[in-house]
Structure formats: structure tokens, C-alpha cells
Amino acid sequence: MAPDDDKTRTYVPLTKGTMVSHYRIIEKIGAGGMGEVYLAEDTTLNRKVALKFLPLHLCQDADCRARFKREAQAAAKLGHSNIVAVYEVGDYHGRPFFAMELVEGRPLDKIVASDRLDESEIVELALGICNGLRKAHESGVIHRDIKPSNIIVDRDNVPRLLDFGLAVIRDSDRLTQTGSTLGTIGYMSPEQVAGRAVDARSDLFSLGVVLYEMVTGINPFRRDNQAATLKAISDDIQKPLGSLRTDISVELQRIVSKLLEKRPELRYQTAADLASDLRRLSGTVPTISRRSRKRWFVSAGIAVVIFGVIVVGYVLTRHPAPESTRKMLAVLPFENLSPDPDQEYFSDGLTEELTSKLSLVQSLCVISRSSSMTFKGSNKTIPEIAEALKVQYIVEGSVRRTGNDLRITAQLIDANADAHLWSKTYSGTLDDVFDIQDSVSQAIVDGIKIQLTPDETRRLGKRSFDNPLAYEYYLRGKDGINKGSSEGAIRNGLQYLQQGIDIVGENALIYSCMAWGYWTLVNGGYAHQEGLAKAEEFAQKAANLDPELPDALAMLGWMNYGYGGKQRQAVEYFKKALLRDSVNESALRGLMCVYSYCAGRPSAAMRLIETYQRIYPMDSLMRFGMSMTLQYTAGDFRKALASYRLLRRTGYRHPWSELEYALTLAHCDSTQEAISVIDSCLSANPSNSLAGFFGMMRQALLKDEASAIRPLSAEARRGAQADFALSYYVGSLLALSGAKEEPYEWLENAVNRGFVNYPFWQKDLFLDNIRSDERFKRLMERVKYEWEHFEI
């Protein structure tokens, strides 16, 4: 072998005192996969520097030499206080090196491992890292290896980025082809894992992982092996920060969640956008430097003790603090005083929009529109309504619209004192409706004496529309979907929403409402494949336009829950929605369904039921959720039956609730009554897509094995295969009919799609015919395992 071919040959050793150009080696201070670092003295400028050399065994590898040079080039063009500076690039006896700024401090990974950082420190460090990335990205450099060990925090608590060895520089030759997965396992973005081309948003995802680790001390995606970690980055939603640490603000949780979105278009698009949110947050978080904290605590501690004595003495002479500081409020339906009674949708829409706006205020608990609407036209007094809804504050008002002229009257009432806190009339045109809504919202907040956070102020003032006509179509469309008791009514509402889109081009709120409209068609049994495709399309469009929109996040949760077969992802979307709107009806109900129906978690389901009941006390869907919880979580079919009967007395006759009612009747040995309910549903809705399942249930209850599956059309079977609930229904009904082979494919598909409610599998009488079969026993072992490992 020729000497030049020996890639391990020995070069001149780098020992103490060795001169490398005008740098004198002092000692070796570090080593990694792509470099060895030495402390050295710059004899020309009389300063300490760090010299990074390419490792000996890589010096004759052309790609490694090019990448090493690339690192120096990337860092050298980025003069910034949050990036370690590169002074010079050179070659020492065939060994490339570069001289860089010597930063005395600690790597971030060591800090995270040993210290519990408070929020002010996290935000301060995050802002510095973000500013460094912003400089890099604006200079055309993508780092591609953001991780705690590549961030050093100097003695002034300033974070500094280093190690640009994997960086991509705009307008330069690429070192790696698309399809490679360069990066550090656990910190790569989903697009890095997939081998796709990356941009600045990839670095922002990696920064999100770093921030998550700074808050919790753990990496959100690290698993037992590399393959599992890569899969987690691509598919798994991280545990919510709030479940791991309770002293972190909602806004910081939102920021991290947005950084960790799987799809780049849903993340922060630039480091500048992220920096703006971090700066806004830093203004709300008290900051005390680590250096002065100990001294501060000593002096502050004395003051706290004295103050505490005074406060305790004062409190003991007063009533104890209330259990909850959230103030309960209901917005009653605004009365339509317009000459045209068809303007009812407009007054109802304003009621709902005001309810939605006020729900963004964390210290307010706003009763749902559906519950408040039950008092529309009621003769009850304000104190009586307040007592029924368990609220202290009531907002009521009226709307008069004549042509383009608008007059809105609103008043805030303290029901406990039966006193008007304020009352005002707002006059203008339809063009002024958004200003009026903002004024009414702010007046209510001021009247109740609530101090808004900067984030709440921003969100309360955020407008989803700037075109009054598009807004009117939105209100008409939403009203049609909310009140739609038929396919025609819902589709009519969707047409209004499309007219709004035709005017504005794109709008997140309209898209979100369209997604819900198509989802309503699916759940009502009026459309399946078309409805699912449209619901997913519009939900994604809404989220792309506004990643913070709670309704869009909740809708994505439903898509993962119902027909995506990804219950854990559904849970995370629902939680993200609730992080932005703690009383979002769609997200609350979604979580309730997951916990009660899919996962069989009674305590978690009941907590949600209690929250739901407090906010939606008059809502039929709340009663439906309670009935399902009793049925699927507690397995108490008798109580569930009583709950379903109470629900039906309200006039609620949704096909899904009737299906569950019939199933519960059958479990309570009321077979004939169950068949009667089925026949009634089939008679009323023969073309409904759920009709086949009602027909199948009828045959199964009659133990007609030969024709049990016949009522299901080919389309219905395809739909059932895509849905965990319908798959389970088909499998369990086949088992009830006496079939021995057919149930397993359907039941296994239900498990694959997330139906792991082990307690219900044990209690479901429909499965008794196959329980002794070894295949069923093995299936139950899997269900039990999945159930035990379903994290909530």
C-alpha cells in the first residue's frame, strides 16, 4: 500500500508548545466525530483561541475535508453575538484547522442535565438561540444540527451557536444528496428523517426539541433504539408540556407546540416570527438573573415573611378565598329587533361570536352558546337564569338591522347583586360590526375587572374577517350547519360558506366551519367518502392559514380520531385546541369520546364530563357523552339506558345516539324494544348511510347468522373498514349472530384503528359466543396490552 493511501498515517503531533501558524498549542480541550479542539494562544493578538482540527483518520477523505471547510465558511460569514466567531482557516501539515473564538461557559446539555431552569431563563436563552438562527437563515445558512451540545452558554448567560459541520449554504454546491438523513438522532426534523430537502423551518423544529428539553429535562421523541426514535419524530405527538411541568405559561406551551408541528407549513415560518413571540412573552415573565438570584432571595425572603404575617392576619379577619378564581359568565341570545325576522341568524351569530371571543380569556369561564340558547325567548328572570346556569355575570342585548344600518345594545349584569354594571348602545353600519364586537368584548372585561395578559389582549383583538359581506355569509352558513336537522339544511349552510370564500379568497374560520359541516354530514349518515375527504381538506386549509385556530385543531383531532385510526394523535390535537381555548366544545367532546369510548378511562372521562357539564349544562351532546361514558367506560348498561332515555325526552334523535341506544337496550335484555327503535330509524331514514348497520343489528339480534352481513352495502363495508367504531360494531354483531370466523378480521381492524377499551371488551355480551376461542383470547391479550400502554 502506498503511503498516500494510508488514511491512518501519523501526522506531526499536536503537543503543548506546538506552533500552528501563529498559534501556540496549550492543551487539548475536546473531541467529537468531526473535530478535535485545542486551547491555544494567538501570539500575534495576545489572546486565547480555540483551534479545531479535522481528526487524523478523516484527513484524506475528500468529503470530510470539504465538510470541515464548509463548517468554517458557514460560521465565518455569520458575525453575530449568538454565534461563535471563526477567525481564520488554515492547514497544518496536511491537517485542516480553523481558529475560532474561545467561549468560556457551559454546554447547554450540561445545564439542562444539572439545573431546573425557570421560565424566564428558558425564554431568555431561547431568544438568544433564535436570534443566532435568524442571522444564519437570513445569511442563507441552515444549521441542520441544532441540539443542546452545540449551544454553549457563556459566563454572561448568553447562548452561542457552534458546530456548523452539517450546514447548508445557499447558492453553494451541496455536499449531500436529497434522501440523506444527516443530523443527530432525536433532534432531526420529520423532513430530515424522511430524507427530504430542508429549509429554515427544519432548524426551528430542532429548536423546539431543545426548548422542550430545557423545560422538562427530557427529549420528547427519544425511544429505546434509533428506529423507534426516528418513527416517533415522524409520527408521535409529544406529551403536553403542561402534563410534565405545571409552572410553565400557556403561551410558552403554545410556542413549543407550534415549533414541533410535524408539517413545516404549520410551524413558525421564520426565526423572526418566533423571536417576536418570545420577546412578547419575555415582557410578561419576571426575570431574575441566575447570578443575582441567591442574593435576591435572601433580601426578598425577609420582606416576604413580614408581608406574609400581615396578609395572614388580614385573611383571618375575612372570608376564605374561593375555590376557583375563574368568573362564570353567560352571554344570552341577543334579541332580534330587526323588521325582518329572517335576520335571526345575524343576532344569533353575534351571540356566538361574542361567546367565542370571551372564551379566550383564561380567568373567565363562559357558558356555551348551546346552553345559553335554551333561554332564547324565555320568561325567566335574570337571577333565575343565572341560578340555572350557575353563573354570576350575564350579558344580554339586542340587535336591530335595517338594510346596512346597525344598532346593537348590550348590558352586563351582576346576577348575584341583581345590578347592571354597564349598558351601552352602539350605532353604525354593517362595516362597523367588527369594531362594535371589539368594544363590547373589552367593556365586559373591564366591567368584571379582569386584567388581560398581553397574549389575551392580542388574541381578543385578532380579527378573522375584514369583509362584512363575507362575515355575513359565514354567519348564515354556520347557522345553517348548527341548526341543520337534514342533509339539505347542512348543504345549504355549506353553500353560504363557499360564497364567503368566493369573496375573500381564503379564510381560516370559514374553512374550519366548512370542515365541521362536512364532518356533520358524515356523522349524520348523509355522506361518507365525499364528506371525509372534504372535511380533511378544509380542516388542513384552516390550520395552514391559522395554526392557532382552536376549531381547526379540534377538527384535525376528529379526523385522526374517527377515520384516521390515530387516537394518540387525536388526543394531542384536542389538547392543543384546549390550550388555546380551554372551553372549546369540539375539543372537549373529542377528548371525552377518546377517553370514554376508545381508551376506557373512567376517571379521565368523568373529569371531562364535569367540565363539559359546567360549561354546557343544557347541551344534548353533553347528555349523549354522559350516556356513552356510562355505557363504554363504566360498563353500567342500566344507568346508561336511563341516561339515553333522558336524552331522548329532550327530542334528540341523532342516528348515532339511536344506534347506541339500541345497543344498550339489547345489553339490558330489551331485545324487542331495541328492534322497535331500529325499525323506527330505518323507516325515518332509509337512505341514511347508517341504515345498513341498523339492518345488520336487527338480523344479529334475531340470531340470523346467514344474512347478518347482507344489509351492509359495498360502500358501507368500505366505510366500516376505515372506522374503528363501525369495525367493532360489525365484528361484535357478527359474533352475536353466531358467526365463528367472520368477526376476527373486523375486530382486529378495530384494534388496529385504536379501539382498545379493554374493560368494555370484557363486558360486551355480544362477544360471548367467541370468548372461548383461542384466537379471541390472543386478541384480548393484545387489547389489554394496548389499553395498559395508552397514555392520556
Side-chain angles (χ1 to χ4, degrees), residues 484-500:
S485 56
S486 67
E487 180 181 7
I490 297 169
R491 290 193 181 276
N492 190 50
L494 286 166
Q495 288 178 2
Y496 276 120
L497 295 173
Q498 183 59 54
Q499 286 179 276

CSV table of all heavy atoms in Angstrom, one decimal, residues 484-500:
chain,number,residue,atom,x,y,z
A,484,GLY,N,-79.0,22.6,11.3
A,484,GLY,CA,-79.4,21.7,10.3
A,484,GLY,C,-79.8,20.3,10.8
A,484,GLY,O,-79.1,19.7,11.5
A,485,SER,N,-81.1,20.0,10.6
A,485,SER,CA,-81.6,18.7,11.0
A,485,SER,C,-81.7,17.8,9.8
A,485,SER,O,-82.3,16.7,9.9
A,485,SER,CB,-83.0,18.9,11.7
A,485,SER,OG,-83.9,19.5,10.8
A,486,SER,N,-81.3,18.2,8.6
A,486,SER,CA,-81.4,17.4,7.4
A,486,SER,C,-80.1,17.6,6.6
A,486,SER,O,-79.4,18.6,6.8
A,486,SER,CB,-82.6,17.7,6.7
A,486,SER,OG,-82.5,19.1,6.1
A,487,GLU,N,-79.9,16.8,5.6
A,487,GLU,CA,-78.8,16.9,4.7
A,487,GLU,C,-78.9,18.2,3.9
A,487,GLU,O,-78.0,19.0,3.7
A,487,GLU,CB,-78.7,15.7,3.7
A,487,GLU,CG,-77.6,15.8,2.7
A,487,GLU,CD,-77.6,14.7,1.8
A,487,GLU,OE1,-78.5,13.8,1.8
A,487,GLU,OE2,-76.6,14.6,1.0
A,488,GLY,N,-80.2,18.5,3.5
A,488,GLY,CA,-80.4,19.8,2.7
A,488,GLY,C,-80.0,21.0,3.5
A,488,GLY,O,-79.4,21.9,2.9
A,489,ALA,N,-80.4,21.1,4.8
A,489,ALA,CA,-80.1,22.3,5.6
A,489,ALA,C,-78.6,22.4,5.8
A,489,ALA,O,-78.0,23.6,5.7
A,489,ALA,CB,-80.7,22.1,6.9
A,490,ILE,N,-77.9,21.3,6.0
A,490,ILE,CA,-76.4,21.4,6.2
A,490,ILE,C,-75.7,21.8,4.9
A,490,ILE,O,-74.8,22.7,4.9
A,490,ILE,CB,-75.9,20.0,6.6
A,490,ILE,CG1,-76.4,19.7,8.0
A,490,ILE,CG2,-74.3,20.1,6.7
A,490,ILE,CD1,-76.2,18.3,8.5
A,491,ARG,N,-76.1,21.2,3.8
A,491,ARG,CA,-75.5,21.6,2.5
A,491,ARG,C,-75.8,23.1,2.1
A,491,ARG,O,-75.0,23.7,1.5
A,491,ARG,CB,-76.0,20.6,1.4
A,491,ARG,CG,-75.4,19.2,1.5
A,491,ARG,CD,-75.6,18.4,0.3
A,491,ARG,NE,-75.1,17.1,0.5
A,491,ARG,CZ,-73.8,16.7,0.3
A,491,ARG,NH1,-72.9,17.6,-0.1
A,491,ARG,NH2,-73.4,15.5,0.4
A,492,ASN,N,-77.0,23.5,2.5
A,492,ASN,CA,-77.3,24.9,2.3
A,492,ASN,C,-76.4,25.8,3.0
A,492,ASN,O,-75.9,26.9,2.5
A,492,ASN,CB,-78.8,25.2,2.7
A,492,ASN,CG,-79.3,26.6,2.2
A,492,ASN,OD1,-79.1,26.9,1.1
A,492,ASN,ND2,-79.8,27.3,3.2
A,493,GLY,N,-76.1,25.4,4.3
A,493,GLY,CA,-75.1,26.2,5.1
A,493,GLY,C,-73.7,26.2,4.4
A,493,GLY,O,-73.0,27.2,4.4
A,494,LEU,N,-73.3,25.0,3.9
A,494,LEU,CA,-72.0,25.0,3.2
A,494,LEU,C,-72.0,25.9,2.0
A,494,LEU,O,-70.9,26.4,1.6
A,494,LEU,CB,-71.8,23.5,2.8
A,494,LEU,CG,-71.4,22.6,3.9
A,494,LEU,CD1,-71.5,21.1,3.5
A,494,LEU,CD2,-70.0,22.9,4.5
A,495,GLN,N,-73.1,26.0,1.3
A,495,GLN,CA,-73.1,26.9,0.1
A,495,GLN,C,-72.9,28.4,0.5
A,495,GLN,O,-72.2,29.1,-0.2
A,495,GLN,CB,-74.5,26.8,-0.6
A,495,GLN,CG,-74.7,25.5,-1.4
A,495,GLN,CD,-76.0,25.3,-2.0
A,495,GLN,OE1,-76.8,26.3,-2.0
A,495,GLN,NE2,-76.3,24.2,-2.7
A,496,TYR,N,-73.5,28.8,1.7
A,496,TYR,CA,-73.2,30.1,2.2
A,496,TYR,C,-71.7,30.3,2.5
A,496,TYR,O,-71.1,31.4,2.2
A,496,TYR,CB,-74.1,30.4,3.4
A,496,TYR,CG,-75.5,30.8,3.1
A,496,TYR,CD1,-76.6,30.1,3.6
A,496,TYR,CD2,-75.7,32.0,2.4
A,496,TYR,CE1,-77.9,30.5,3.4
A,496,TYR,CE2,-77.0,32.4,2.2
A,496,TYR,CZ,-78.1,31.7,2.6
A,496,TYR,OH,-79.4,32.1,2.4
A,497,LEU,N,-71.2,29.3,3.1
A,497,LEU,CA,-69.7,29.4,3.4
A,497,LEU,C,-68.9,29.5,2.2
A,497,LEU,O,-67.9,30.3,2.1
A,497,LEU,CB,-69.3,28.2,4.3
A,497,LEU,CG,-70.0,28.1,5.6
A,497,LEU,CD1,-69.6,26.7,6.3
A,497,LEU,CD2,-69.5,29.2,6.6
A,498,GLN,N,-69.2,28.8,1.1
A,498,GLN,CA,-68.5,28.9,-0.1
A,498,GLN,C,-68.6,30.2,-0.7
A,498,GLN,O,-67.7,30.8,-1.3
A,498,GLN,CB,-69.0,27.8,-1.1
A,498,GLN,CG,-68.2,27.8,-2.4
A,498,GLN,CD,-66.8,27.5,-2.2
A,498,GLN,OE1,-66.4,26.5,-1.6
A,498,GLN,NE2,-65.9,28.3,-2.7
A,499,GLN,N,-69.8,30.9,-0.6
A,499,GLN,CA,-69.9,32.2,-1.1
A,499,GLN,C,-69.0,33.2,-0.3
A,499,GLN,O,-68.5,34.1,-0.9
A,499,GLN,CB,-71.4,32.7,-0.9
A,499,GLN,CG,-72.4,32.0,-1.9
A,499,GLN,CD,-73.8,32.5,-1.7
A,499,GLN,OE1,-74.5,32.0,-0.8
A,499,GLN,NE2,-74.2,33.5,-2.4
A,500,GLY,N,-68.8,33.0,1.0
A,500,GLY,CA,-67.9,33.8,1.7
A,500,GLY,C,-66.5,33.6,1.2
A,500,GLY,O,-65.7,34.6,1.1
